[in-house]
């Protein structure tokens, strides 16, 4: 798929001769290619030297001891800049734009300025507006560019260039096709790499889209959903610096997936990021129990949000007359006054914050009552009531002025000064007896204990979740702790409704550390991968962490395997967003070869899909193969097939996908290779996939969706082991790899 009109060179172009029919470097074209590589090598050396100079300068500044908070804040900023420079060793420069006006701009992972007073850009950051034509310019819309050059590097060496004239002579869909296909053909390492040099226009449009509300991106397998999501994080943090002060939350489907993507954002220079799964968002809470899919579906419904809200509201104290004791005297706060204070304290506050607000008002009310009663007693004393005078004397002795204090206010004329009133209120607020009274009337609640009590009480479930049938209530109330995955959003909702008892001030140098430790942290943006798996309650969990709705969710509704029944994005997000969200779509499959994608259409139809499969743009030249075996032959055949796949894809990766019931047995005979269920493989990719017993996967819940996932994990070769109860005569091989895959 290399364009004849493009100047393209690869690693072989810098040697004596190029394989596979490429021209020798002794030809005129070869000399031109070597010249282009040498030209870009010279620029890479210049940019590298400039980066090193800046890093050394920052290191010198960081060696000084900060004298105050301002200098400490400045050093944090400098340290982030230094870390960004240090990480930009690989792929520092990867592109160049030659303008129609004769200008030349190089594009790279970070921005660098020339050493001089003018400070002109030496290297344009890929996230900057000036770099956008590198991803979006086409021959039809050149955007002022005459040529785009993709520069391929290994370490500090330029190993190839791929030139694209933008003068109307090229009409293909892909930007930098040579560079893109070279990247796609590279061996997989088990960790996702950055793709900033090969982003395509539809991907870049999503990456740079406005962050004004929920953006839901539909994309089939291999369309670069995860790449788009993570590069969008990097772009937003670059374009909206204030967002870094709040951090960005990246939600993935599993810890394995988070490990897979763990190097992407740091490599792009972004550290204000918290990565988690929905199960790990609550610090100190661990999922320790599996549960049935029907029960998970029940607990994932949006009905739990209002149910829990109404339940917590029912736990608020009811207005009544309060009788408080202070300094041996009783003071009455009327029911009407208490009702007014309650209404003012609640006002949308969480349970514990409302209690704190009410306690503060109660301290004021008691202070007023004490002052009024004391001053009234003083008035009566002046009228000659001797018995009252004796009571006042006792009270005054208990409330003795501090030694050495000059008598003022009530000491002289019975009227309290402002300072005395404030001092009295302060002492009331710190009084342990008053605190015990408030605790008894408005008790502190624990979210875990409260949820456990709620979920196991049929009467409470019937009262607050009337949408549930008696059978569903029985199913919910019969499941005790420890917590299952579907309990986490309910626990999060309840913890949010209760609020913190004493909200601690987050500590830590980096914003991500502070955000990670604080459940109620409000993020600047949330990115969700495999978003089709989220239940309605998990969507609420996301919305609580980003009430601004600055959310990017990517996924494939056709790969949904969760227990919920959503088959469209509108159904999936309606409970959280209504119709206030924007849809986008990725239509081109870059990862999965055409030979494999051709197998997916009938699977999608059986899954009930209403979407068009993405269009594959590359061929691996390897037809997917199938081998029929009996259950008794499975272990040996799988081990043998795996050995040969690993030999063929040395330096890359091979993965095994099997039905859940067969994973343990296969792990016992297959070493040093991931053996996963279809669900666990979601979001991952390998050079080759060995798919075991696909018919059994299709028979699992949402099985056709799971099979669609399993089929599309490879970048090169797919082999399937089909199980049969009848022993085949020789082992049936249906269209397959050249030569029998099993020797």
């Amino acid at each position: 798929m290399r364009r004849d009109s493009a100047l393209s060179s690869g690693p072989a172009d810098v040697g004596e001769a190029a394989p596979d029919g490429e021209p020798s470097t002794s030809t005129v074209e070869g000399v031109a290619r070597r010249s282009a590589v040498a030209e870009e090598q010279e620029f890479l050396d210049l940019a590298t030297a400039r980066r090193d100079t800046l890093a050394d300068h920052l290191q010198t500044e960081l060696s000084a001891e900060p004298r105050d908070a301002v200098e400490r804040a400045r050093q944090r900023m400098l340290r982030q800049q230094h870390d960004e420079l240090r990480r930009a060793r690989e792929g520092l420069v990867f592109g160049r734009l030659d303008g129609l006006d004769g200008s030349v701009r190089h594009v790279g992972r970070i921005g660098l300025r020339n050493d001089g007073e003018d400070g002109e850009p030496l290297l344009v950051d890929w996230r900057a507006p000036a770099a956008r034509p590198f991803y979006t310019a086409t021959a039809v819309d050149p955007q002022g560019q005459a040529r785009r050059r993709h520069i391929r590097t290994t370490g500090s060496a330029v190993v190839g260039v791929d030139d694209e004239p933008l003068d109307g002579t090229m009409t293909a869909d892909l930007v930098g096709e040579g560079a893109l296909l070279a990247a796609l053909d590279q061996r997989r390492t088990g960790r996702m790499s950055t793709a900033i040099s090969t982003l395509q226009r539809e991907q870049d449009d999503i990456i740079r889209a406005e962050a004004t509300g929920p953006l839901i991106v539909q994309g089939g397998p291999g369309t670069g959903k995860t790449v788009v999501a993570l590069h969008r994080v990097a772009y937003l943090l670059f374009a909206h610096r204030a967002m870094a002060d709040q951090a960005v939350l990246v939600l993935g489907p599993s810890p394995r997936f988070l490990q897979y993507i763990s190097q992407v954002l740091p490599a792009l220079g972004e550290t204000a990021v918290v990565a988690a799964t929905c199960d790990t968002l609550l610090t100190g809470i661990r999922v320790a129990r599996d549960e049935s899919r029907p029960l998970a579906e029940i607990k994932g419904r949006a009905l739990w949000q209002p149910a829990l809200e109404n339940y917590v509201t029912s736990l608020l104290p009811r207005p009544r007359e309060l009788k408080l004791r202070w300094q041996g005297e009783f003071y009455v706060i009327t029911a009407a006054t208490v009702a007014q204070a309650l209404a003012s304290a609640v006002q949308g506050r969480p349970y514990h914050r409302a209690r704190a607000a009410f306690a503060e008002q109660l301290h004021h009310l008691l202070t007023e009552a004490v002052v009024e009663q004391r001053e009234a007693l003083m008035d009566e004393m002046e009228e000659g009531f001797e018995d009252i005078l004796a009571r006042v004397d006792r009270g005054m002795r208990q409330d003795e002025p501090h030694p050495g204090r000059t008598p003022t206010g009530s000491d002289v004329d019975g009227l309290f000064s402002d300072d005395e009133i404030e001092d009295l209120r302060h002492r009331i607020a710190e009084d342990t007896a008053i605190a015990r009274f408030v605790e008894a009337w408005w008790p502190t609640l624990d979210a875990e204990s409260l949820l456990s009590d709620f979920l196991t009480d049929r009467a409470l479930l019937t009262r607050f979740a009337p949408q549930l049938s008696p059978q569903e209530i029985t199913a919910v109330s019969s499941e005790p702790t420890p917590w299952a995955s579907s309990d986490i959003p309910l626990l999060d909702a309840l913890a949010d409704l209760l609020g913190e008892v004493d909200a601690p001030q987050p500590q830590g140098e980096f914003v991500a550390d502070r955000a990670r430790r604080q459940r109620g942290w409000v993020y600047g943006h949330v990115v969700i991968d495999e978003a089709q798996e989220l239940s309605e309650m998990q969507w609420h969990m996301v919305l609580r962490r980003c009430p601004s709705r600055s959310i990017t969710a990517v996924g494939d509704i056709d790969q949904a395997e969760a227990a919920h029944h959503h088959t469209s994005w509108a159904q999936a997000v309606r409970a959280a967003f209504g119709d206030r969200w924007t849809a986008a779509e990725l239509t081109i499959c870059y990862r999965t070869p055409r030979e494999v994608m051709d197998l997916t259409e009938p699977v999608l139809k059986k899954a009930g899909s209403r979407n068009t499969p993405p269009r594959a743009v590359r061929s691996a030249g390897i037809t997917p193969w199938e081998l029929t075996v009996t259950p008794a032959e499975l272990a040996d055949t799988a081990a043998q097939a795996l050995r040969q796949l690993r030999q063929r894809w040395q330096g890359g990766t091979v993965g095994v996908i099997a039905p859940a019931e067969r994973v343990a047995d296969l792990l016992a005979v297959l070493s040093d290779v991931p053996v996963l269920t279809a669900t666990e493989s979601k979001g991952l990719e390998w050079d080759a996939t060995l798919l075991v017993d696909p018919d059994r996967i299709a028979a699992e819940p949402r099985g056709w969706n799971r099979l669609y996932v399993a089929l599309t994990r490879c970048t090169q070769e797919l082999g399937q082991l089909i199980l049969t109860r009848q022993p085949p005569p020789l082992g049936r091989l249906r269209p397959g790899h050249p030569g029998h895959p099993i020797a």
Side-chain angles (χ1 to χ4, degrees):
M1 297 180 65
R2 184 167 293 178
R3 303 187 184 106
D4 293 337
S5 59
L7 170 63
S8 179
S9 73
D13 297 324
V14 297
E16 291 300 320
D20 300 327
E22 290 285 338
S24 167
T25 52
S26 60
T27 65
V28 173
E29 185 179 358
V31 170
R33 290 174 176 171
R34 291 194 63 180
S35 175
V37 169
E39 179 184 17
E40 299 308 336
Q41 182 67 60
E42 181 179 355
F43 181 83
L44 177 59
D45 292 342
L46 176 64
T48 300
R50 179 62 177 155
R51 182 206 61 195
D52 292 344
T53 298
L54 291 173
D56 291 343
H57 175 72
L58 289 174
Q59 185 62 53
T60 300
E61 291 203 39
L62 288 170
S63 64
E65 188 70 25
R67 293 174 294 181
D68 52 32
V70 174
E71 288 194 3
R72 284 193 294 273
R74 180 173 179 274
Q75 283 212 346
R76 282 196 295 271
M77 180 187 67
L78 294 179
R79 187 173 294 108
Q80 290 175 346
Q81 294 175 355
H82 181 267
D83 290 344
E84 186 177 56
L85 290 169
R86 180 178 52 82
R87 283 190 295 266
R89 296 183 184 279
E90 188 70 30
L92 175 63
V93 181
F94 56 76
R96 168 174 154 171
L97 288 168
D98 291 10
L100 292 169
D101 59 0
S103 63
V104 174
R105 283 176 289 171
H106 280 84
V107 179
R109 283 179 53 175
I110 59 174
L112 296 173
R113 290 194 172 275
N114 277 308
D115 185 13
E117 294 182 0
D118 56 1
E120 285 297 313
L122 174 68
L123 182 65
V124 177
D125 192 299
W126 71 273
R127 296 160 290 193
R132 191 170 193 195
F134 184 77
Y135 302 107
T136 59
T138 64
V140 176
D141 178 22
Q143 300 175 32
Q145 308 305 314
R147 182 180 68 174
R148 169 177 36 236
R149 170 173 288 177
H150 286 260
I151 303 165
R152 299 195 294 278
T153 62
T154 299
S156 60
V158 175
V159 297
V161 297
D162 180 28
D163 279 350
E164 294 177 85
L166 299 172
D167 56 3
T169 61
M170 301 167 63
T171 59
D173 295 334
L174 301 182
V175 169
E177 185 176 341
L180 173 63
L181 297 182
L184 293 172
D185 286 334
Q186 288 177 351
R187 294 290 191 265
R188 267 42 196 172
T189 63
R191 289 202 174 185
M192 175 172 284
S193 60
T194 63
I196 46 178
S197 63
T198 56
L199 291 172
Q200 300 300 298
R201 176 157 193 160
E202 69 175 12
Q203 295 174 323
D204 190 73
D205 286 344
I206 293 170
I207 288 169
R208 298 175 192 262
E210 290 297 321
T212 54
L215 177 65
I216 310 297
V217 182
Q218 163 64 28
T223 54
K225 298 183 294 296
T226 301
V227 165
V228 166
L230 297 180
H231 286 71
R232 177 159 169 77
V233 171
Y235 169 74
L236 290 175
L237 287 172
F238 175 84
H240 306 281
R241 291 299 186 183
M243 198 175 282
D245 295 335
Q246 295 177 269
V248 171
L249 173 64
V250 176
L251 284 177
S254 67
R256 180 185 291 270
F257 173 82
L258 296 181
Q259 182 182 16
Y260 178 59
I261 67 170
S262 62
Q263 298 303 310
V264 177
L265 287 169
L268 293 173
E270 303 303 344
T271 56
V273 177
V274 174
T277 69
C278 286
D279 287 353
T280 62
L281 270 179
L282 294 183
T283 303
I285 304 298
R286 186 171 64 90
V287 172
R289 176 174 59 86
D290 293 328
E291 64 184 353
S292 67
R293 288 177 63 85
L295 185 56
E297 188 276 324
I298 294 170
K299 289 185 179 178
R301 298 175 192 171
L303 66 88
W304 293 98
Q305 187 65 36
L308 292 171
E309 290 172 0
N310 293 334
Y311 177 46
V312 171
T313 299
S314 74
L315 300 175
L316 295 171
R318 295 296 177 259
R320 67 174 176 83
E321 181 182 277
L322 299 181
K323 190 175 183 180
L324 302 170
R325 183 182 177 92
W326 173 254
Q327 299 290 1
E329 298 287 340
F330 286 99
Y331 300 88
V332 174
I333 311 297
T334 66
T337 301
V338 171
Q340 186 177 8
L342 270 172
S344 175
V346 173
Q347 286 190 344
R349 292 185 178 95
Y351 176 94
H352 290 125
R353 283 181 55 194
R355 186 185 70 167
F358 176 81
E360 186 174 351
Q361 292 191 54
L362 187 64
H363 300 153
H364 284 287
L365 292 171
L366 180 55
T367 300
E368 291 176 359
V370 171
V371 170
E372 288 176 4
Q373 186 164 315
R374 294 281 179 86
E375 292 181 346
L377 288 173
M378 292 297 293
D379 289 341
E380 292 179 14
M381 183 187 69
E382 291 177 0
E383 296 176 7
F385 293 101
E386 297 298 329
D387 55 334
I388 295 177
L389 177 60
R391 290 168 56 194
V392 171
D393 287 340
R394 287 197 303 270
M396 296 294 285
R397 284 194 297 271
Q398 290 174 346
D399 215 355
E400 192 74 25
H402 297 293
R405 190 187 70 176
T406 302
T408 60
S410 61
D411 300 331
V412 176
D413 57 11
L415 298 177
F416 284 74
S417 68
D418 290 343
D419 288 343
E420 287 177 314
I421 293 174
E422 179 59 27
D423 179 67
L424 175 60
R425 188 204 63 77
H426 181 71
R427 286 187 288 124
I428 287 174
E430 292 189 337
D431 186 78
T432 56
I434 299 296
R436 285 195 300 269
F437 177 89
V438 174
E439 175 65 29
W441 188 63
W442 194 327
T444 300
L445 298 177
D446 173 69
E448 289 191 74
S449 300
L450 198 62
L451 182 61
S452 180
D453 292 343
F454 181 68
L455 293 179
T456 54
D457 190 319
R458 293 178 57 88
L460 289 176
L461 291 172
T462 301
R463 176 184 173 189
F464 292 105
Q467 305 95 321
L468 297 178
S469 68
Q471 295 78 12
E472 290 171 335
I473 288 175
T474 298
V476 171
S477 61
S478 63
E479 291 287 344
T481 53
W483 302 118
S485 179
S486 64
D487 292 318
I488 303 301
L490 306 186
L491 189 58
D492 184 65
L494 195 53
D496 185 69
L497 291 167
L498 293 179
E500 302 288 346
V501 178
D502 294 305
Q505 290 299 317
Q507 302 295 319
E509 182 178 8
F510 294 108
V511 64
D513 297 327
R514 302 197 300 271
R516 193 176 289 110
R517 282 195 287 268
Q518 194 174 31
R519 188 206 63 80
W521 187 272
V522 174
Y523 289 89
H525 194 80
V526 176
V527 168
I528 312 163
D529 200 3
E530 302 294 348
Q532 74 278 357
E533 304 301 341
L534 268 61
S535 68
E536 291 174 332
M537 284 304 293
Q538 286 173 324
W539 280 110
H540 277 295
M541 199 176 183
V542 170
L543 190 55
R544 276 190 289 277
R545 283 158 177 78
C546 193
S548 68
R549 301 187 177 211
S550 181
I551 297 167
T552 301
V554 303
D556 182 2
I557 203 70
D558 293 326
Q559 294 186 55
E561 300 178 42
H564 57 67
H565 302 311
H566 306 143
T567 58
S568 71
W569 285 112
Q571 291 174 331
V573 303
R574 183 181 298 126
F577 305 140
D579 58 0
R580 295 172 57 192
W581 56 280
T582 302
E585 188 172 7
L586 296 167
T587 62
I588 301 174
C589 174
Y590 308 101
R591 178 190 67 211
T592 310
R594 189 178 301 114
E595 294 86 349
V596 174
M597 287 304 298
D598 288 344
L599 302 178
T600 63
E601 187 172 355
V603 174
L604 282 176
K605 286 182 179 178
K606 292 180 180 179
S609 171
R610 289 170 284 182
N611 296 316
T612 302
R615 176 171 59 89
V617 296
R618 55 185 284 270
S619 170
I622 303 172
T623 304
W625 52 267
E626 296 178 359
L627 184 64
T628 302
V629 298
T630 65
E633 299 169 326
L634 176 59
D636 289 342
T637 305
Q640 192 174 2
L642 181 61
R643 282 195 299 271
Q644 295 201 10
L645 285 172
R646 294 177 74 172
Q647 288 174 0
R648 283 199 289 276
W649 301 104
Q650 287 184 14
T653 58
V654 178
V656 179
I657 303 176
E661 64 193 45
R662 297 195 180 278
V663 168
D665 291 340
L666 288 170
L667 280 171
V669 296
L670 304 179
S671 59
D672 301 325
V673 68
V675 180
L676 308 173
T677 65
T679 299
E680 292 169 335
S681 72
K682 190 180 295 291
L684 305 181
E685 63 179 37
W686 304 289
D687 293 277
T689 300
L690 181 63
L691 179 55
V692 176
D693 200 358
D695 294 337
R696 182 69 190 106
I697 292 176
E700 293 177 339
R702 285 221 175 188
W704 292 109
N705 300 83
R706 294 185 179 191
L707 185 56
Y708 180 53
V709 173
L711 286 169
T712 54
R713 296 306 96 196
C714 71
T715 64
Q716 304 293 341
E717 181 176 355
L718 171 67
Q720 301 185 66
L721 300 184
I722 312 297
L723 264 67
T724 178
R725 299 297 176 185
Q726 302 297 325
L730 294 174
R732 180 167 57 92
L733 179 67
R734 296 187 306 187
H737 188 275
H740 199 293
I742 308 298

